[in-house]
Amino acid sequence: MFDQAESLRRLTRRASRPASFAIVGADGSGCSTLTAELAISLTRNGQRPLLLDAQPGQVLSRRLGLPPAATLSGPTRRPRALSELMSQSPHGITLLNLYASAAERAELSELAWHRLQGEFQPLERDADVVLINAPSPADDPIPAGIADNLILVLGPDTESLTQAYAELKRLHGFAGRLSANVLINRCDHLDEARLLFNRLAEVAGSYLQLPLRMVGFVPYDISVPRSQTLRRPLADAFPHSEAAEAYGQLAAQLPHWHTPPPGGADTGYLELLASASRDCTLAIGF
């Protein structure tokens, strides 16, 4: 009876969809690891994250220790049930593998999208937050461009800074992105993280008039690659490591990073993904 009453209270408190956060960054910046570890920390904070993987390679499945699922990509183009794309982690995380190119998504029939959206809506409504492991905007800007919020992951190397600015520029031009959250990864200390952020913020402000907000940093920690070698999430393998504690702190703050979309748009993420893929493929020809 308690569980049923709590479910009713949840529905009463929030009839609209949850906020979505797209996580992007330079190659090798640790976006997939960050996405998986944030999701685990959210569940341990009592939240219900819905995890969407729009990157190739089934990386999130590996990070969570799950078998690979079907994706939206492939030669058959037949309608799929959402369950074929879904995995459930022992942590209580629902993972959907939505990887496909924009052209492949545009080729899916209206019937296929309608079926997927109908199955997706209850999952989305039941979630507290949607996390998207987004591909590089240079390859496909749509998964990150349609999210409510952007979390840009910045590493300590020069290439990461250069690519991060290019991704901001791409999303600013493609999706009219007006702001972005920046998370610094693999820094030795806070002063280094602030220095990196200030360099990016200065360039973005000067050339794009795009305000950035630093939301935190994750210190360099050898436990992260060790956990990947063990094929176990860091939160399970080394829960008391510096990086694991940082992920937990960031997950606790993540709901406060949400900026509501103008006009209070309430269109579901999968519906936006379908329409944007069709429109952009026709107009731009990805």
Side-chain angles (χ1 to χ4, degrees):
M1 292 298 294
F2 175 82
D3 290 343
Q4 292 176 354
E6 175 60 20
S7 296
L8 289 173
R9 284 194 292 271
R10 285 169 57 86
L11 289 172
T12 303
R13 285 196 300 264
R14 190 197 67 225
S16 60
R17 64 173 177 80
S20 59
F21 294 82
I23 300 176
V24 300
D27 295 338
S29 61
C31 290
S32 297
T33 298
L34 176 69
T35 306
E37 297 293 342
L38 280 177
I40 294 172
S41 294
L42 283 166
T43 63
R44 293 181 176 178
N45 291 343
Q47 300 287 300
R48 297 186 184 183
L50 177 59
L51 201 51
L52 310 181
D53 197 356
Q55 289 216 36
Q58 305 270 1
V59 180
L60 283 188
S61 295
R62 293 202 302 274
R63 293 289 182 269
L64 293 171
L66 299 173
T71 74
L72 290 178
S73 179
T76 58
R77 314 308 331 132
R78 65 180 177 83
R80 295 187 188 274
L82 202 70
S83 59
E84 296 179 63
L85 312 175
M86 188 188 307
S87 302
Q88 194 76 27
S89 87
H91 312 89
I93 300 168
T94 299
L95 170 63
L96 288 176
N97 197 318
L98 299 181
Y99 169 69
S101 68
E104 287 177 315
R105 292 194 302 266
E107 290 172 6
L108 277 175
S109 68
E110 292 279 355
L111 177 62
W113 277 118
H114 183 73
R115 179 177 180 179
L116 292 173
Q117 288 164 15
E119 296 172 335
F120 180 79
Q121 286 171 358
L123 291 174
E124 189 176 33
R125 284 197 302 267
D126 192 52
D128 292 306
V129 63
V130 176
L131 295 180
I132 303 106
N133 188 35
S136 168
D139 299 325
D140 183 0
I142 295 173
I146 63 173
D148 298 326
N149 306 278
L150 179 68
I151 300 175
L152 182 69
V153 182
L154 180 61
D157 57 287
T158 303
E159 179 60 30
S160 178
L161 185 66
T162 302
Q163 193 170 338
Y165 174 73
E167 291 179 338
L168 279 176
K169 184 177 180 180
R170 174 78 165 167
L171 288 171
H172 180 62
F174 170 80
R177 181 66 62 180
L178 300 177
S179 63
N181 302 299
V182 178
L183 196 155
I184 315 298
N185 197 22
R186 300 172 182 157
C187 280
D188 291 328
H189 47 74
L190 180 58
D191 288 342
E192 181 187 5
R194 285 175 172 159
L195 180 62
L196 285 167
F197 171 76
N198 289 337
R199 290 173 63 188
L200 180 62
E202 182 179 358
V203 176
S206 297
Y207 293 99
L208 302 178
Q209 289 75 55
L210 184 67
L212 305 180
R213 172 174 58 179
M214 179 176 164
V215 293
F217 87 106
V218 179
Y220 174 78
D221 189 338
I222 192 63
S223 299
V224 176
R226 285 173 62 196
S227 70
Q228 293 169 4
T229 300
L230 295 170
R231 296 186 177 274
R232 295 176 62 197
L234 182 70
D236 293 343
F238 305 105
H240 302 298
S241 62
E242 278 192 275
E245 292 181 358
Y247 292 136
Q249 293 166 3
L250 291 168
Q253 293 300 314
L254 186 142
H256 303 294
W257 305 345
H258 173 51
T259 301
D266 202 39
T267 306
Y269 185 84
L270 206 61
E271 185 177 348
L272 285 173
L273 185 66
S275 59
S277 299
R278 287 192 298 267
D279 295 345
C280 292
T281 300
L282 288 172
I284 303 174
F286 282 117

mmCIF file of all heavy atoms in Angstrom, residues 9-38:
data_model
loop_
_atom_site.group_PDB
_atom_site.id
_atom_site.type_symbol
_atom_site.label_atom_id
_atom_site.label_comp_id
_atom_site.label_asym_id
_atom_site.label_seq_id
_atom_site.Cartn_x
_atom_site.Cartn_y
_atom_site.Cartn_z
ATOM 1 N N ARG A 9 1.485 9.761 -5.463
ATOM 2 C CA ARG A 9 1.989 11.083 -5.102
ATOM 3 C C ARG A 9 2.979 11.585 -6.137
ATOM 4 O O ARG A 9 3.000 12.765 -6.489
ATOM 5 C CB ARG A 9 2.650 11.042 -3.721
ATOM 6 C CG ARG A 9 1.650 10.998 -2.569
ATOM 7 C CD ARG A 9 2.341 11.303 -1.247
ATOM 8 N NE ARG A 9 3.255 10.231 -0.866
ATOM 9 C CZ ARG A 9 2.909 9.179 -0.158
ATOM 10 N NH1 ARG A 9 1.651 9.024 0.241
ATOM 11 N NH2 ARG A 9 3.799 8.263 0.157
ATOM 12 N N ARG A 10 3.804 10.672 -6.669
ATOM 13 C CA ARG A 10 4.771 11.063 -7.696
ATOM 14 C C ARG A 10 4.055 11.567 -8.938
ATOM 15 O O ARG A 10 4.438 12.573 -9.544
ATOM 16 C CB ARG A 10 5.671 9.877 -8.074
ATOM 17 C CG ARG A 10 6.732 9.555 -7.035
ATOM 18 C CD ARG A 10 7.385 8.223 -7.345
ATOM 19 N NE ARG A 10 7.965 8.215 -8.682
ATOM 20 C CZ ARG A 10 9.181 8.649 -8.973
ATOM 21 N NH1 ARG A 10 9.944 9.159 -8.019
ATOM 22 N NH2 ARG A 10 9.647 8.588 -10.200
ATOM 23 N N LEU A 11 3.011 10.886 -9.350
ATOM 24 C CA LEU A 11 2.261 11.307 -10.528
ATOM 25 C C LEU A 11 1.578 12.645 -10.292
ATOM 26 O O LEU A 11 1.478 13.485 -11.193
ATOM 27 C CB LEU A 11 1.224 10.241 -10.904
ATOM 28 C CG LEU A 11 1.782 8.944 -11.478
ATOM 29 C CD1 LEU A 11 0.660 7.922 -11.615
ATOM 30 C CD2 LEU A 11 2.460 9.180 -12.821
ATOM 31 N N THR A 12 1.099 12.863 -9.083
ATOM 32 C CA THR A 12 0.434 14.125 -8.769
ATOM 33 C C THR A 12 1.422 15.282 -8.743
ATOM 34 O O THR A 12 1.145 16.373 -9.235
ATOM 35 C CB THR A 12 -0.266 14.023 -7.397
ATOM 36 O OG1 THR A 12 -1.179 12.935 -7.441
ATOM 37 C CG2 THR A 12 -1.009 15.307 -7.069
ATOM 38 N N ARG A 13 2.618 15.020 -8.190
ATOM 39 C CA ARG A 13 3.598 16.083 -8.069
ATOM 40 C C ARG A 13 4.137 16.506 -9.426
ATOM 41 O O ARG A 13 4.460 17.658 -9.641
ATOM 42 C CB ARG A 13 4.775 15.608 -7.195
ATOM 43 C CG ARG A 13 4.477 15.541 -5.715
ATOM 44 C CD ARG A 13 5.781 15.450 -4.933
ATOM 45 N NE ARG A 13 6.543 14.272 -5.283
ATOM 46 C CZ ARG A 13 6.506 13.136 -4.603
ATOM 47 N NH1 ARG A 13 5.699 13.010 -3.574
ATOM 48 N NH2 ARG A 13 7.261 12.107 -4.963
ATOM 49 N N ARG A 14 4.291 15.556 -10.382
ATOM 50 C CA ARG A 14 4.933 15.897 -11.633
ATOM 51 C C ARG A 14 4.228 15.213 -12.797
ATOM 52 O O ARG A 14 4.412 14.037 -13.063
ATOM 53 C CB ARG A 14 6.407 15.462 -11.615
ATOM 54 C CG ARG A 14 7.195 15.997 -12.793
ATOM 55 C CD ARG A 14 8.509 15.229 -12.988
ATOM 56 N NE ARG A 14 8.244 13.858 -13.387
ATOM 57 C CZ ARG A 14 8.854 12.804 -12.879
ATOM 58 N NH1 ARG A 14 9.763 12.948 -11.966
ATOM 59 N NH2 ARG A 14 8.545 11.581 -13.270
ATOM 60 N N ALA A 15 3.377 15.969 -13.458
ATOM 61 C CA ALA A 15 2.663 15.430 -14.603
ATOM 62 C C ALA A 15 3.461 15.587 -15.880
ATOM 63 O O ALA A 15 3.172 14.940 -16.878
ATOM 64 C CB ALA A 15 1.317 16.139 -14.741
ATOM 65 N N SER A 16 4.449 16.483 -15.887
ATOM 66 C CA SER A 16 5.231 16.733 -17.092
ATOM 67 C C SER A 16 6.422 15.790 -17.154
ATOM 68 O O SER A 16 6.716 15.055 -16.213
ATOM 69 C CB SER A 16 5.700 18.181 -17.119
ATOM 70 O OG SER A 16 6.506 18.446 -15.983
ATOM 71 N N ARG A 17 7.124 15.836 -18.276
ATOM 72 C CA ARG A 17 8.276 14.951 -18.456
ATOM 73 C C ARG A 17 9.465 15.433 -17.629
ATOM 74 O O ARG A 17 9.535 16.599 -17.250
ATOM 75 C CB ARG A 17 8.651 14.906 -19.938
ATOM 76 C CG ARG A 17 9.110 16.259 -20.472
ATOM 77 C CD ARG A 17 9.642 16.148 -21.879
ATOM 78 N NE ARG A 17 10.020 17.451 -22.396
ATOM 79 C CZ ARG A 17 11.155 18.064 -22.107
ATOM 80 N NH1 ARG A 17 12.004 17.510 -21.270
ATOM 81 N NH2 ARG A 17 11.431 19.248 -22.629
ATOM 82 N N PRO A 18 10.437 14.560 -17.364
ATOM 83 C CA PRO A 18 11.617 14.974 -16.599
ATOM 84 C C PRO A 18 12.585 15.781 -17.450
ATOM 85 O O PRO A 18 12.533 15.743 -18.685
ATOM 86 C CB PRO A 18 12.235 13.636 -16.184
ATOM 87 C CG PRO A 18 11.834 12.696 -17.275
ATOM 88 C CD PRO A 18 10.453 13.129 -17.693
ATOM 89 N N ALA A 19 13.477 16.480 -16.798
ATOM 90 C CA ALA A 19 14.516 17.229 -17.507
ATOM 91 C C ALA A 19 15.494 16.265 -18.163
ATOM 92 O O ALA A 19 15.794 15.192 -17.638
ATOM 93 C CB ALA A 19 15.252 18.141 -16.528
ATOM 94 N N SER A 20 15.997 16.655 -19.333
ATOM 95 C CA SER A 20 16.988 15.844 -20.043
ATOM 96 C C SER A 20 18.329 16.570 -20.082
ATOM 97 O O SER A 20 18.379 17.796 -20.215
ATOM 98 C CB SER A 20 16.516 15.535 -21.467
ATOM 99 O OG SER A 20 16.294 16.722 -22.215
ATOM 100 N N PHE A 21 19.399 15.800 -19.953
ATOM 101 C CA PHE A 21 20.761 16.320 -19.952
ATOM 102 C C PHE A 21 21.581 15.536 -20.965
ATOM 103 O O PHE A 21 21.736 14.316 -20.825
ATOM 104 C CB PHE A 21 21.405 16.171 -18.578
ATOM 105 C CG PHE A 21 20.781 17.011 -17.490
ATOM 106 C CD1 PHE A 21 19.637 16.574 -16.835
ATOM 107 C CD2 PHE A 21 21.339 18.218 -17.126
ATOM 108 C CE1 PHE A 21 19.052 17.328 -15.834
ATOM 109 C CE2 PHE A 21 20.763 18.988 -16.124
ATOM 110 C CZ PHE A 21 19.616 18.545 -15.474
ATOM 111 N N ALA A 22 22.089 16.215 -21.983
ATOM 112 C CA ALA A 22 22.982 15.575 -22.947
ATOM 113 C C ALA A 22 24.423 15.810 -22.516
ATOM 114 O O ALA A 22 24.812 16.942 -22.187
ATOM 115 C CB ALA A 22 22.762 16.154 -24.343
ATOM 116 N N ILE A 23 25.220 14.745 -22.501
ATOM 117 C CA ILE A 23 26.614 14.823 -22.078
ATOM 118 C C ILE A 23 27.490 14.615 -23.302
ATOM 119 O O ILE A 23 27.417 13.585 -23.976
ATOM 120 C CB ILE A 23 26.906 13.765 -21.001
ATOM 121 C CG1 ILE A 23 25.995 14.018 -19.787
ATOM 122 C CG2 ILE A 23 28.368 13.803 -20.585
ATOM 123 C CD1 ILE A 23 26.110 12.983 -18.691
ATOM 124 N N VAL A 24 28.305 15.630 -23.626
ATOM 125 C CA VAL A 24 29.167 15.587 -24.808
ATOM 126 C C VAL A 24 30.574 16.023 -24.415
ATOM 127 O O VAL A 24 30.770 16.663 -23.387
ATOM 128 C CB VAL A 24 28.644 16.485 -25.955
ATOM 129 C CG1 VAL A 24 27.265 16.054 -26.405
ATOM 130 C CG2 VAL A 24 28.615 17.953 -25.521
ATOM 131 N N GLY A 25 31.530 15.693 -25.271
ATOM 132 C CA GLY A 25 32.904 16.116 -25.016
ATOM 133 C C GLY A 25 33.827 15.578 -26.076
ATOM 134 O O GLY A 25 33.424 14.811 -26.960
ATOM 135 N N ALA A 26 35.070 15.974 -25.996
ATOM 136 C CA ALA A 26 36.072 15.531 -26.956
ATOM 137 C C ALA A 26 36.277 14.027 -26.861
ATOM 138 O O ALA A 26 35.960 13.394 -25.848
ATOM 139 C CB ALA A 26 37.394 16.255 -26.700
ATOM 140 N N ASP A 27 36.798 13.442 -27.939
ATOM 141 C CA ASP A 27 37.123 12.014 -27.930
ATOM 142 C C ASP A 27 38.054 11.705 -26.759
ATOM 143 O O ASP A 27 39.068 12.386 -26.555
ATOM 144 C CB ASP A 27 37.804 11.623 -29.234
ATOM 145 C CG ASP A 27 36.887 11.775 -30.432
ATOM 146 O OD1 ASP A 27 35.658 11.778 -30.234
ATOM 147 O OD2 ASP A 27 37.396 11.908 -31.565
ATOM 148 N N GLY A 28 37.708 10.693 -25.990
ATOM 149 C CA GLY A 28 38.551 10.298 -24.870
ATOM 150 C C GLY A 28 38.413 11.157 -23.633
ATOM 151 O O GLY A 28 39.199 11.017 -22.686
ATOM 152 N N SER A 29 37.401 12.043 -23.603
ATOM 153 C CA SER A 29 37.250 12.928 -22.442
ATOM 154 C C SER A 29 36.551 12.237 -21.276
ATOM 155 O O SER A 29 36.481 12.794 -20.180
ATOM 156 C CB SER A 29 36.483 14.195 -22.827
ATOM 157 O OG SER A 29 35.188 13.876 -23.290
ATOM 158 N N GLY A 30 36.003 11.039 -21.504
ATOM 159 C CA GLY A 30 35.381 10.291 -20.425
ATOM 160 C C GLY A 30 33.889 10.489 -20.291
ATOM 161 O O GLY A 30 33.315 10.237 -19.222
ATOM 162 N N CYS A 31 33.233 10.893 -21.382
ATOM 163 C CA CYS A 31 31.788 11.166 -21.323
ATOM 164 C C CYS A 31 30.981 9.934 -20.933
ATOM 165 O O CYS A 31 30.059 10.020 -20.101
ATOM 166 C CB CYS A 31 31.300 11.688 -22.672
ATOM 167 S SG CYS A 31 31.872 13.338 -23.061
ATOM 168 N N SER A 32 31.279 8.788 -21.545
ATOM 169 C CA SER A 32 30.491 7.588 -21.275
ATOM 170 C C SER A 32 30.659 7.128 -19.833
ATOM 171 O O SER A 32 29.679 6.752 -19.164
ATOM 172 C CB SER A 32 30.885 6.465 -22.239
ATOM 173 O OG SER A 32 30.602 6.824 -23.574
ATOM 174 N N THR A 33 31.888 7.158 -19.339
ATOM 175 C CA THR A 33 32.129 6.791 -17.944
ATOM 176 C C THR A 33 31.388 7.736 -17.012
ATOM 177 O O THR A 33 30.728 7.309 -16.052
ATOM 178 C CB THR A 33 33.634 6.826 -17.638
ATOM 179 O OG1 THR A 33 34.299 5.868 -18.469
ATOM 180 C CG2 THR A 33 33.907 6.515 -16.176
ATOM 181 N N LEU A 34 31.480 9.025 -17.296
ATOM 182 C CA LEU A 34 30.794 10.019 -16.482
ATOM 183 C C LEU A 34 29.284 9.783 -16.474
ATOM 184 O O LEU A 34 28.634 9.832 -15.424
ATOM 185 C CB LEU A 34 31.109 11.412 -17.011
ATOM 186 C CG LEU A 34 30.393 12.578 -16.329
ATOM 187 C CD1 LEU A 34 30.903 12.755 -14.911
ATOM 188 C CD2 LEU A 34 30.587 13.861 -17.125
ATOM 189 N N THR A 35 28.706 9.513 -17.651
ATOM 190 C CA THR A 35 27.268 9.285 -17.754
ATOM 191 C C THR A 35 26.841 8.090 -16.913
ATOM 192 O O THR A 35 25.856 8.156 -16.165
ATOM 193 C CB THR A 35 26.858 9.064 -19.215
ATOM 194 O OG1 THR A 35 27.333 10.150 -20.018
ATOM 195 C CG2 THR A 35 25.351 8.978 -19.355
ATOM 196 N N ALA A 36 27.566 6.985 -17.036
ATOM 197 C CA ALA A 36 27.213 5.773 -16.288
ATOM 198 C C ALA A 36 27.349 5.982 -14.784
ATOM 199 O O ALA A 36 26.468 5.587 -14.001
ATOM 200 C CB ALA A 36 28.094 4.614 -16.746
ATOM 201 N N GLU A 37 28.443 6.606 -14.368
ATOM 202 C CA GLU A 37 28.674 6.783 -12.932
ATOM 203 C C GLU A 37 27.690 7.783 -12.321
ATOM 204 O O GLU A 37 27.248 7.611 -11.179
ATOM 205 C CB GLU A 37 30.117 7.226 -12.680
ATOM 206 C CG GLU A 37 31.178 6.214 -13.105
ATOM 207 C CD GLU A 37 31.167 4.934 -12.272
ATOM 208 O OE1 GLU A 37 30.596 4.943 -11.156
ATOM 209 O OE2 GLU A 37 31.740 3.930 -12.729
ATOM 210 N N LEU A 38 27.322 8.821 -13.073
ATOM 211 C CA LEU A 38 26.308 9.752 -12.585
ATOM 212 C C LEU A 38 24.972 9.034 -12.400
ATOM 213 O O LEU A 38 24.255 9.261 -11.417
ATOM 214 C CB LEU A 38 26.134 10.916 -13.556
ATOM 215 C CG LEU A 38 27.160 12.043 -13.495
ATOM 216 C CD1 LEU A 38 26.865 13.076 -14.582
ATOM 217 C CD2 LEU A 38 27.182 12.714 -12.128
#
